[in-house]
Amino acid sequence: MRFRHRDGSTVHVGYCATVHPADDLDGVIADLDGCARRVRVELDVPVLGIGLWLASPVADRLANSPSSLNKLRRSLTRNHLEVVTLNGIPHAHFTDQVVGTKVFCPDWTEPERLRYTLDLVDVLAELLPADASYGSISTLPLAWRVPWSKARDTAARKALDGVEQHLARTETRTGRRIRIAVEPEPGCVLEMIGQAAAWLSRYSSPYGGLSRIGLGLDACHLAVQFEEPADAFETLWRAGVDVVKGQLAVAPTLVDPSDAAGRYALGQLGTPKYLRQVREWGGPGVDDVAQAYELSGHSAWRMHAHVPAHTAPPPPLSATTLALEDCLTRLVGGGHPLTHHLESEVYAWPRPPKTKQQLAKRIAKELRWLRDRLTGLGLQAID
């Protein structure tokens, strides 16, 4: 979906394809021809954005095979889909039975992370539609928090500096600007906005232009950490760090952790395949909901599970919908948008869909909710 902002610029909106991951090119195309096409038809929009996830072997193939890239491009064209953003966090193994912390491997201290990201840059520069002012690639917040050291931090800095140089060369060669969105996440080296802002301030543009490396603001991650949007955006502004991309979902909240029914309902959301970090207001956190018994239970819990905003989670759980709406207002509700890329990223449905057709309907409902909020902020749907 595309929206015209009041300043005349275009805001691109889509959904993240990690909700139906495929680890080879034929699988990616099958999902474009199937699920993504159904979502667009359900929404009845002329163009639908999709944030592709390309496993490392697929990215390597597309970056080095024009015929493979054309095969993907034809699928996007016939299904009226556009790609302005890629999810470059999972490298591979995202279809494994258990992913866990493997999603952060290789991290930014390892050469393979750099190679993978450079492949994604080259692919996105070729797929980017003509009316997109830039393309964006989400990447992990350096690494999982352990092990970490000054030497590893230096290695990660050197790698990201190398990406920045490649982005400049790509822009000169193709005329297309690609930007990296470093996405803070609970449990990682950069999990809080303040940590990310301090680390990324080096890449801020000194002339008020768009930085090539900035922040991917995930509204679910922000809420899980009990960070207030007003404080987070103020921190980014003071550090001169751009928001490259907005990831949109809400987190489930258990106001009273002593409620056994609530703890059970929380544990039923999402899947043990992925990390379900839990944070306690004013206190510590754990890396998975299965460890939540270690928390005091004296104040509210929030869990890392990207649940939809268009429907409430099962009681007695609530959701961080107000925080998401606050983020949306700050991202695109002002005189100028802070980002031109918004992406719905929901994968933990209260009633998991059993078929791709059901999944497409759920995604479409979430995007309708988002469309209503954006039009309420004064954005105008294009076409």
Side-chain angles (χ1 to χ4, degrees):
M1 301 186 293
R2 298 170 179 169
F3 291 82
R4 185 74 64 204
H5 193 272
R6 60 176 60 90
D7 73 347
S9 64
T10 301
V11 176
H12 298 261
V13 182
Y15 80 92
C16 184
T18 53
V19 71
H20 47 67
D23 53 14
D24 60 30
L25 181 57
D26 288 343
V28 170
I29 291 174
D31 281 331
L32 296 179
D33 292 342
C35 190
R37 179 188 62 81
R38 290 191 185 104
V39 174
R40 190 191 65 78
V41 172
E42 285 280 339
L43 286 169
D44 191 26
V45 293
V47 177
L48 176 65
I50 183 163
L52 289 181
W53 172 62
L54 304 172
S56 178
V58 180
D60 177 74
R61 176 180 172 183
L62 293 171
N64 295 286
S65 170
S67 62
S68 296
L69 189 64
N70 284 333
K71 183 178 180 181
L72 175 60
R73 188 183 285 113
R74 287 194 297 271
S75 176
L76 293 167
T77 299
R78 68 174 170 263
N79 291 302
H80 304 282
L81 305 171
E82 69 172 11
V83 176
V84 301
T85 188
L86 299 176
N87 187 330
I89 294 177
H91 173 269
H93 310 296
F94 203 56
T95 57
D96 287 0
Q97 187 173 359
V98 177
V99 176
T101 57
K102 288 190 294 184
V103 73
F104 306 114
C105 299
D107 62 36
W108 273 108
T109 68
E110 301 172 80
E112 182 52 38
R113 172 61 59 176
L114 175 60
R115 286 194 292 269
Y116 173 50
T117 305
L118 297 187
D119 282 342
L120 293 179
V121 170
D122 293 345
V123 170
L124 185 55
E126 296 296 330
L127 295 178
L128 201 60
D131 68 340
S133 57
Y134 66 89
S136 62
I137 299 172
S138 299
T139 194
L140 55 89
L142 306 186
W144 188 243
R145 67 182 183 278
V146 290
W148 198 247
S149 64
K150 185 175 181 179
R152 290 172 67 81
D153 194 86
T154 299
R157 177 71 73 186
K158 181 179 179 180
L160 265 297
D161 288 349
V163 172
E164 188 179 38
Q165 294 167 11
H166 185 77
L167 295 174
R169 292 193 296 269
T170 300
E171 187 171 349
T172 298
R173 176 175 58 85
T174 67
R176 309 316 309 272
R177 168 162 287 201
I178 309 298
R179 308 172 71 198
I180 301 297
V182 176
E183 186 177 304
E185 179 169 333
C188 291
V189 174
L190 305 178
E191 65 174 355
M192 304 288 285
I193 293 297
Q195 294 170 309
W199 206 90
L200 294 170
S201 61
R202 170 172 174 162
Y203 302 106
S204 62
S205 173
Y207 305 112
L210 296 179
S211 63
R212 293 189 171 94
I213 299 178
L215 188 106
L217 191 140
D218 189 303
C220 174
H221 298 175
L222 186 84
V224 171
Q225 296 287 152
F226 288 93
E227 296 196 77
E228 291 295 334
D231 295 337
F233 282 86
E234 174 76 10
T235 298
L236 293 170
W237 176 77
R238 289 188 179 278
V241 174
D242 290 342
V243 178
V244 174
K245 173 181 177 179
Q247 294 286 117
L248 309 177
V250 296
T253 301
L254 178 58
V255 174
D256 181 10
S258 68
D259 186 335
R263 293 197 304 272
Y264 177 80
L266 193 67
Q268 295 305 298
L269 286 176
T271 166
K273 174 177 179 175
Y274 306 118
L275 289 177
R276 292 178 293 172
Q277 305 95 311
V278 176
R279 295 292 181 266
E280 187 171 65
W281 185 87
V286 292
D287 293 336
D288 191 79
V289 67
Q291 304 166 328
Y293 64 88
E294 300 175 10
L295 301 175
S296 72
H298 296 311
S299 55
W301 292 353
R302 288 179 179 173
M303 186 174 77
H304 178 212
H306 292 229
V307 298
H310 77 266
T311 185
L317 302 180
S318 56
T320 59
T321 309
L322 291 179
L324 172 58
E325 292 180 327
D326 193 349
C327 286
L328 274 175
T329 300
R330 296 174 189 279
L331 287 170
V332 297
H336 300 282
L338 298 186
T339 180
H340 291 90
H341 294 178
L342 297 176
E343 185 175 73
S344 174
E345 188 185 15
V346 176
Y347 59 78
W349 309 94
R351 295 184 306 280
K354 297 179 180 180
T355 66
K356 288 290 179 71
Q357 185 172 6
Q358 291 178 352
L359 176 61
K361 289 180 178 294
R362 302 279 180 85
I363 296 170
K365 286 181 179 179
E366 185 72 359
L367 288 172
R368 285 193 196 99
W369 180 94
L370 181 57
R371 180 170 58 190
D372 290 344
R373 295 311 181 278
L374 292 175
T375 55
L377 290 172
L379 279 72
Q380 181 180 9
I382 298 176
D383 298 324

